[in-house]
Amino acid sequence: MPRALEEIFPKLADSGYEITQEPSSVYNCISWALGLSNQKWDCYDPDAYWPPSIPRNDRIETIIQLFALEDYSLCDNHRMEQGYRMEQGYRKIVLYAFVGQFTHVAKQLEDGRWTSKLGNREVITHPSPDDLTESIYGFVHCIMRRPSSSA
C-alpha cells in the first residue's frame, strides 16, 4: 500500500512517513483533526455531520470558519514554514487548498510531527505539512491554532 500512497503524494517517499492506522470510511481528515474517529464531518455527505451554522460548501474560507467554531484561529505566520514549529500551549492544524477549494487538513502531534487521515485511506504520521503538497491536495493555505486546553 505505501507505494500507492507515494504515487498520489510524491513527496512522501523521502519523508520518513509511517502508516499509523488502517483505512476507514467512518471518519475523515476534518473529524480526525478534531480528535474524532467515530464520525465523519462532510459538507456534501447527507449522512455525515456538518455544523448547522456553517454553509455546506468546501470553499477554504468556509473551512476556516468551521475550525474557528472549534476555537482555532489563524496564526500570525499562517503561510510561513516557521509556523509549522511546535508552539508551547497550542495545538496546530494546517489547511490545504487548491484553487480556493479546501482539500485536506493535517494536525500537529505533541512531538512536532504531523498526522493526516487521507480520505477513506490510512492515517499517516509525517514530518512536515509540505510532505503532502504538490499533489491532489494542492498546497498549504494556512496554519491555525487553538490553546491546548481546548483540545
Side-chain angles (χ1 to χ4, degrees), residues 1-143:
M1 190 75 74
R3 191 174 219 36
L5 286 179
E6 293 168 12
E7 288 176 12
I8 298 168
F9 306 102
K11 290 184 171 184
L12 279 181
D14 297 323
S15 73
Y17 79 99
E18 50 189 293
I19 295 172
T20 54
Q21 291 190 31
E22 295 301 313
S24 172
S25 61
V26 174
Y27 61 103
N28 60 0
C29 65
I30 294 174
S31 47
W32 181 248
L34 294 171
L36 305 169
S37 60
N38 61 349
Q39 178 185 52
K40 185 183 283 189
W41 286 40
D42 189 316
C43 64
Y44 295 121
D45 182 345
D47 297 325
Y49 177 75
W50 195 251
S53 62
I54 301 294
R56 285 190 168 267
N57 67 62
D58 61 358
R59 292 178 53 227
I60 191 66
E61 296 82 8
T62 300
I63 305 304
I64 291 170
Q65 194 179 14
L66 179 144
F67 280 101
L69 277 181
E70 299 295 322
D71 297 325
Y72 281 92
S73 59
L74 288 171
C75 292
D76 291 338
N77 50 3
H78 69 275
R79 287 196 177 136
M80 299 172 8
E81 190 171 317
Q82 69 188 40
Y84 298 166
R85 294 188 193 122
M86 287 290 301
E87 206 174 327
Q88 191 68 28
Y90 290 94
R91 298 278 178 152
K92 288 186 176 179
I93 59 172
V94 292
L95 301 181
Y96 296 77
F98 186 73
V99 193
Q101 301 302 117
F102 167 77
T103 56
H104 182 64
V105 57
K107 69 178 175 179
Q108 192 170 42
L109 297 169
E110 291 181 12
D111 66 4
R113 295 182 301 161
W114 296 81
T115 181
S116 290
K117 171 68 168 82
L118 305 173
N120 289 334
R121 301 182 75 99
E122 299 87 352
V123 173
I124 63 167
T125 299
H126 48 104
S128 169
D130 289 335
D131 298 330
L132 299 178
T133 61
E134 300 177 38
S135 69
I136 60 171
Y137 289 158
F139 298 90
V140 170
H141 178 80
C142 63
I143 305 164

